[in-house]
Amino acid sequence: MRVLVTGAAGFLGSHLVDRLLREGDELLGVDNLSTGDEENLAHLKSDPRFHFERRDICHPFDPGPVDYVFNFASPASPPEYLRLGIETLRVGSLGVENTLQIALRHHAGYLQASTSECYGDPLEHPQTESYWGNVNPVGPRSVYDESKRFAEAMVMAYQRTHGVNTHLVRIFNTYGPRLRPGDGRVISNFMMQALCGEPLTVYGDGSQTRSFCYVDDLIEGIVRLARSDEHLPVNIGNPEEYTIRQCAQAVLEATGAQSELRFVDLPEDDPTRRQPDIAKARELLGWAPRIGLKDGLQRSLEYFQRKAAVAQR
Ligand code: UDP
């Protein structure tokens, strides 16, 4: 297969590229590098089956014949999408339609990276795919939440109107190597702070919850979904739910650090809890995560140690 991956230099995009190359596909990766990092693809420089193009998918383009389009282009960490609000809305609307046009033109399959943020600050717990969400359409996070919700609507419209073979994965919090230090997400912040001997910044009282999925588990779920016949959204995430304070504790144990917790203001509209109901993924894809938080943090340790060594130089 010849496959297009957008957002290929990002955390998830680059792991997806690696996985698809292992399966024998030929890959075209594109990224405008607004939040992605070419270093995530540096090990593929001499791979003849991988090509990279720096481009912004908000402008129409034709990659030539492709069999599949994975659309992973978007800022995804809260500080980054707050900084890049308009870009986030544009990539979730113009970028999504441009890549759907590619899938339509070349009769390719299509998978859109959607998000648990579609559920907003959820009033249903855990979140099933049939829950419509509780999103503030004008709050600070709306640039991301509404961009991803619009993207889902656009993808469904191309499926219903043009019969494009589309898929929607709602991705819950994911971590692992290549999660960019300094992009502001909780696991990268805590790991870097712990390894640099700094206090861990807990936002609010740390009682809010998240459910953390190790990247390899997530990619496996996505690859299975891409090959399925399901067009409606499917949650992929690890249902093991932790308070942010428990997450801080887990990072301290994984790193052996003695850092204190520093409690700072909770960002506006920070969801109070989040946990995927993965019954649909289990049934439809025979998928379930295998790697718990403790194990996943161990697997991420070497990467963050390298990054911390660079940061401390
Ligand atoms: N968080 C925190 N300290 C940090 C970064 C994040 O306590 O240094 C909290 C944040 O308020 C949120 C949770 O951790 O409740 C997850 O944040 P993240 O930015 O990783 O992703 P989100 O799930 O909010 O999109």
Side-chain angles (χ1 to χ4, degrees):
M1 287 223 298
R2 184 161 185 269
V3 179
L4 171 65
V5 176
T6 73
F11 166 51
L12 296 180
S14 65
H15 280 285
L16 181 63
V17 164
D18 282 345
R19 167 66 191 261
L20 296 173
L21 283 171
R22 277 203 298 277
E23 307 216 342
D25 293 339
E26 186 189 333
L27 265 284
L28 172 63
V30 308
D31 202 301
N32 72 350
L33 302 179
S34 68
T35 60
D37 187 347
E38 265 183 302
E39 204 187 305
N40 291 335
L41 302 169
H43 58 291
L44 302 176
K45 270 222 165 76
S46 56
D47 190 326
R49 286 182 297 116
F50 179 69
H51 308 276
F52 178 76
E53 265 181 37
R54 183 173 185 171
R55 70 160 64 246
D56 182 349
I57 64 163
C58 292
H59 304 290
F61 68 106
D62 189 349
V66 287
D67 303 291
Y68 214 100
V69 178
F70 287 90
N71 189 32
F72 277 64
S74 177
S77 107
E80 296 285 42
Y81 63 66
L82 296 179
R83 180 173 70 83
L84 298 167
I86 293 169
E87 289 87 340
T88 303
L89 283 159
R90 287 172 61 88
V91 78
S93 49
L94 302 173
V96 169
E97 184 165 26
N98 287 337
T99 51
L100 281 162
Q101 280 288 334
I102 293 168
L104 177 62
R105 193 177 317 132
H106 296 294
H107 309 287
Y110 187 95
L111 184 139
Q112 163 68 13
S114 190
T115 168
S116 57
E117 279 290 315
C118 289
Y119 302 122
D121 191 1
L123 304 176
E124 261 185 30
H125 197 74
Q127 292 80 57
T128 59
E129 291 86 348
S130 56
Y131 177 50
W132 291 355
N134 177 40
V135 170
N136 177 352
V138 293
R141 291 175 91 104
S142 64
V143 293
Y144 186 65
D145 299 9
E146 297 296 12
S147 137
K148 291 290 190 178
R149 286 166 66 99
F150 178 90
E152 288 198 357
M154 181 70 94
V155 168
M156 289 309 300
Y158 267 72
Q159 197 279 317
R160 292 187 176 117
T161 306
H162 296 302
V164 178
N165 181 20
T166 62
H167 308 279
L168 290 167
V169 57
R170 288 196 180 139
I171 297 170
F172 283 67
N173 295 65
T174 304
Y175 67 99
R178 300 186 197 157
L179 192 57
R180 204 172 62 169
D183 89 347
R185 273 181 278 206
V186 66
I187 300 261
S188 43
N189 275 7
F190 284 177
M191 289 295 272
M192 290 297 288
Q193 290 161 343
L195 293 168
C196 294
E198 293 166 7
L200 273 45
T201 51
V202 174
Y203 300 166
D205 64 3
S207 64
Q208 71 273 33
T209 71
R210 293 295 186 272
S211 306
F212 298 103
C213 189
Y214 186 69
V215 61
D216 291 359
D217 279 337
L218 186 95
I219 296 294
E220 176 63 31
I222 285 172
V223 167
R224 290 189 191 200
L225 175 60
R227 293 172 184 157
S228 78
D229 296 325
E230 181 64 20
H231 300 307
L232 289 168
V234 178
N235 290 339
I236 300 285
N238 190 323
E240 277 178 25
E241 186 183 6
Y242 295 86
T243 66
I244 294 305
R245 232 184 308 193
Q246 288 171 329
C247 170
Q249 202 51 48
V251 167
L252 292 180
E253 280 162 26
T255 55
Q258 308 282 322
S259 300
E260 290 176 357
L261 305 188
R262 184 151 64 85
F263 292 88
V264 302
D265 285 349
L266 187 69
E268 194 180 335
D269 289 345
D270 197 278
T272 46
R273 52 191 192 165
R274 203 184 271 156
Q275 183 190 33
D277 181 318
I278 59 164
K280 187 172 176 182
R282 278 185 201 277
E283 197 174 317
L284 203 71
L285 314 173
W287 175 86
R290 293 181 305 110
I291 299 163
L293 184 60
K294 197 174 166 188
D295 185 6
L297 289 176
Q298 278 306 326
R299 292 173 190 235
S300 313
L301 188 57
E302 193 194 310
Y303 165 80
F304 284 109
Q305 280 170 333
R306 250 186 295 127
K307 292 291 177 185
V310 172
Q312 285 175 305
R313 241 181 242 155

